[in-house]
């Protein structure tokens, strides 16, 4: 038999805590803080940065999403599920042609249309996860406010964030951020919007994202 053996992650997935009502109630005291959400975003970003820049050979994950970010007993987030992963080309700026795979709501639109894969496809997926953390919405959700069909979190939050109306989209379960937290949350939102830019070349690399999230977490700790 061929087996995949993982460390046991006792706190399940990020997706469960954001979108499963039972889990939200069980862990609300720990979970519903902006500091904790930013810490989990940073953990995940560091994991992807490792894959892109330090793993030998370097790896493109291809399926970054909240259900593939698992939480251990100390609430440290780990990137999991490498079933779709591919070895990255030698140069970070090289791309490779491959049929687009991934999950609806997280898949890089440029990769989906052109079938050209780069590390920036993982960056797009992480951007969607950041928007999930900020809004509490699924990557694709039914918009009950105006009765329209399914809507993507990028389509929902992007225009309001770019219009300077970030508070309108923040997850109400966490409450409005305090003064130092507000700056941190704005930095996360700014980073998320760059990650989900339609053109891959306009998206930041993982080291820049990690730097932004480190600054955001430091603001929460001041």
């Amino acid at each position: 038999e061929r087996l995949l053996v993982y460390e046991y992650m006792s706190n399940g997935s990020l997706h469960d805590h954001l979108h499963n009502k039972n889990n939200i109630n069980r862990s609300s005291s720990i979970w519903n803080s902006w500091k904790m959400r930013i810490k989990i975003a940073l953990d995940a970003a560091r994991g992807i940065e490792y894959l892109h820049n330090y793993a030998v050979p370097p790896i493109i994950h291809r399926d970054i999403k909240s259900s593939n970010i698992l939480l251990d007993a100390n609430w440290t987030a780990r990137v999991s599920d490498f079933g779709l992963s591919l070895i990255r080309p030698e140069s970070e700026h090289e791309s490779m042609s491959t049929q687009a795979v991934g999950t609806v709501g997280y898949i890089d639109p440029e990769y989906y249309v052109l079938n050209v894969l780069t590390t920036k496809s993982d960056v797009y997926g992480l951007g969607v996860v950041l928007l999930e953390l900020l809004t509490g919405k699924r990557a694709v959700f039914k918009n009950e406010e105006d009765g329209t069909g399914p809507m993507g979190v990028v389509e929902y939050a992007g225009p309001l964030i770019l219009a300077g109306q970030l508070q309108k989209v923040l997850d109400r379960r966490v409450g409005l951020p305090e003064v130092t937290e507000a700056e941190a949350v704005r930095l996360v939102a700014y980073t998320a919007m760059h990650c989900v830019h339609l053109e891959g070349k306009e998206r930041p690399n993982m080291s820049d994202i990690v730097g932004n999230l480190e600054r955001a977490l430091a603001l929460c700790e001041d």
Side-chain angles (χ1 to χ4, degrees), residues 123-159:
V123 168
Y124 185 93
L126 180 64
V128 177
V129 172
L130 293 180
L131 291 175
E132 280 185 88
L133 283 161
L134 289 170
T135 66
K137 301 283 189 188
R138 295 172 185 264
V140 178
F141 63 96
K142 188 175 180 181
N143 191 355
E144 295 173 354
E145 292 174 14
D146 56 14
T148 57
M151 174 180 260
V153 71
V154 175
E155 178 191 354
Y156 162 74

Side-chain angles (χ1 to χ4, degrees), residues 33-35 38 134 161 164-167 170 174-191 212 215-222:
S33 78
W34 291 114
K35 180 180 174 181
I38 292 169
L134 289 170
I161 291 172
Q165 298 179 324
L166 173 60
Q167 286 198 359
L170 292 182
V174 190
L176 289 176
E178 296 173 7
V179 178
T180 53
E181 285 180 333
E183 192 175 342
V185 170
R186 277 196 299 273
L187 182 52
V188 175
Y190 163 87
T191 304
N212 279 358
R215 285 193 290 278
L217 187 60
L219 285 167
C220 290
E221 291 174 341
D222 282 348

Side-chain angles (χ1 to χ4, degrees), residues 41-54 59-61 64 79 88 92 118-127 130 191 195 203-214:
L42 175 57
D43 289 342
R46 283 173 172 160
I48 303 165
E49 181 192 29
Y50 175 84
L51 295 177
H52 289 183
N53 298 341
Y54 303 109
I59 293 167
I60 301 176
H61 188 283
I64 297 296
V79 178
R88 197 194 82 194
E92 190 178 344
T118 69
T119 55
K120 297 300 181 71
S121 294
D122 284 351
V123 168
Y124 185 93
L126 180 64
L130 293 180
T191 304
C195 289
R203 298 173 200 151
N205 60 42
M206 285 309 307
S207 297
D208 292 335
I209 295 165
V210 167
N212 279 358
L213 294 176
E214 284 175 342

